[in-house]
């Protein structure tokens, strides 16, 4: 079963413009405390939300951004028209690599090839605040997930649910979450040039960018995303519990099934009988519904 998130959780709740501005300022205070640039109120930004972990591909994010900026300059865009880059995530007491990777990232930004862009790269370890992450992701232009190793990345689900196209490496379970060319763009692992090319097209071709946003807003895509939210996941767990409870006991399964009249017609108390056309959960997984 995939990882799930909750639409009513702080990570996914709807926010007003005032909320978004408040959390931008909260983020900027955290960034300032860590000696990092903040998010400008009048510039778009690209974001990757992830722990500072060797598997998350943060050096590839920075390298892709450098190439992206060079491409925008070559197209004649002034630097104040270029998007910023935000790399942020929560720390964890059981994450021994967090401080090491964070320090490596800061050392990377001090190198001569990245130094011209360092003032536009916000690298921040955030306190535990779901609404802060939600607000920063909601205000972004698009999201990156350049993990080299990944199971099922819940931040991809949360980005898509906010109608943000996601550019990601083909790692682990990520290709199961993104429809390449429809809801995001999948790039072969380590291909930072490909990531930069994708960013440049999304940023400079508004019609192309809007195709992704419009697709993410469709009822079809919303229905597909439901399998990664907690209500659907609850059904998964109930199905698993039922299968384990009745495993090897066919007689108990038969006995536990209600009679057809119990589920096909329910007296509503107003002289009417409602037909529910009820199905067992297992029928959907077995393809018999």
């Amino acid at each position: 079963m995939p990882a799930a998130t909750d639409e009513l959780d702080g990570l996914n709740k709807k926010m007003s413009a005032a909320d978004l501005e408040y959390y931008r300022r909260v983020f900027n205070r955290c960034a300032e405390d860590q000696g990092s640039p903040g998010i400008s109120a009048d510039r778009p930004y690209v974001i990757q939300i992830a722990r500072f972990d060797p598997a998350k591909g943060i050096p590839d994010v920075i390298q892709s951004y450098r190439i992206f900026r060079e491409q925008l300059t070559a197209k004649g865009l002034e630097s104040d028209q270029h998007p910023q880059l935000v790399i942020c995530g929560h720390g964890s007491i059981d994450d021994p690599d967090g401080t090491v990777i964070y320090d490596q990232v800061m050392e990377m930004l001090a190198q001569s090839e990245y130094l011209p862009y360092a003032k536009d790269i916000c690298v921040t370890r955030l306190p535990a605040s779901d609404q802060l992450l939600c607000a920063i992701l909601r205000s972004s232009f698009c999201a990156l997930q350049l993990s080299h190793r990944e199971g099922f990345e819940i931040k991809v689900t949360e980005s898509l649910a906010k109608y943000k196209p996601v550019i990601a490496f083909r790692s682990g379970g990520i290709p199961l979450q993104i429809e390449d060319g429809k809801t995001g763009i999948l790039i072969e692992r380590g291909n930072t040039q490909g990531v930069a090319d994708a960013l440049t097209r999304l940023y400079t071709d508004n019609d192309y960018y809007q195709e992704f946003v419009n697709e993410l807003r469709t009822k079809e895509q919303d229905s597909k995303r439901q399998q990664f939210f907690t209500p659907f996941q609850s059904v998964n767990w109930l199905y698993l519990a039922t299968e384990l409870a009745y495993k090897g006991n066919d007689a108990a399964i038969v006995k536990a099934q209600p009679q057809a009249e119990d589920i096909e017609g329910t007296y509503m108390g107003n002289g009417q009988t409602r037909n529910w056309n009820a199905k067992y959960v297992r029928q959907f997984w077995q393809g018999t519904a």
Side-chain angles (χ1 to χ4, degrees), residues 40-204:
S40 174
D42 55 2
R43 290 176 65 185
Y45 58 88
V46 180
I47 190 169
Q48 173 158 310
I49 297 178
R51 291 179 295 107
F52 287 88
D53 183 277
K56 298 299 182 180
I58 296 177
D60 285 344
V61 172
I62 296 172
Q63 185 174 349
S64 298
Y65 179 73
R66 177 184 61 79
I67 300 171
F68 168 52
R69 289 287 300 265
E70 290 171 351
Q71 291 178 346
L72 294 184
T73 300
K75 287 180 175 290
L77 274 72
E78 297 295 331
S79 59
D80 61 355
Q81 297 177 291
H82 296 185
Q84 293 178 281
L85 173 64
V86 174
I87 302 172
C88 63
H90 290 160
S92 173
I93 59 174
D94 61 350
D95 185 12
D97 295 315
T99 300
V100 175
I101 299 302
Y102 177 85
D103 289 343
Q104 289 177 354
V105 169
M106 301 311 292
E107 290 172 4
M108 184 177 182
L109 292 179
Q111 295 175 14
S112 58
E113 59 183 320
Y114 301 106
L115 199 56
Y117 311 110
K119 68 181 185 302
D120 290 328
I121 301 177
C122 315
V123 182
T124 310
R125 300 180 75 178
L126 297 174
S129 171
D130 289 346
Q131 291 187 180
L132 175 56
L133 288 182
C134 178
I136 299 304
L137 182 53
R138 278 197 183 281
S139 299
S140 67
F141 162 69
C142 72
L144 301 178
Q145 194 60 56
L146 304 188
S147 301
H148 284 228
R149 299 187 303 276
E150 197 61 78
F152 190 94
E153 181 47 65
I154 200 63
K155 284 295 173 283
V156 171
T157 298
E158 292 165 356
S159 300
L160 298 177
K162 296 171 181 60
Y163 314 128
K164 305 299 177 183
V166 179
I167 302 172
F169 284 159
R170 293 182 184 272
S171 301
I174 291 178
L176 299 175
Q177 299 172 261
I178 297 173
E179 292 185 55
D180 191 19
K182 293 183 68 176
T183 63
I185 301 170
L186 293 172
I187 307 292
E188 294 305 317
R189 190 183 311 159
N191 183 3
T192 53
Q193 179 68 53
V195 174
D197 292 344
L199 281 170
T200 299
R201 187 176 179 190
L202 280 175
Y203 188 65
T204 59

Side-chain angles (χ1 to χ4, degrees), residues 203-221:
Y203 188 65
T204 59
D205 187 341
N206 186 63
D207 291 339
Y208 179 66
Y209 176 80
Q210 202 59 43
E211 286 177 9
F212 286 92
V213 176
N214 292 341
E215 176 64 26
L216 286 165
R217 290 181 179 273
T218 62
K219 185 175 181 180
E220 177 186 1
Q221 289 298 332

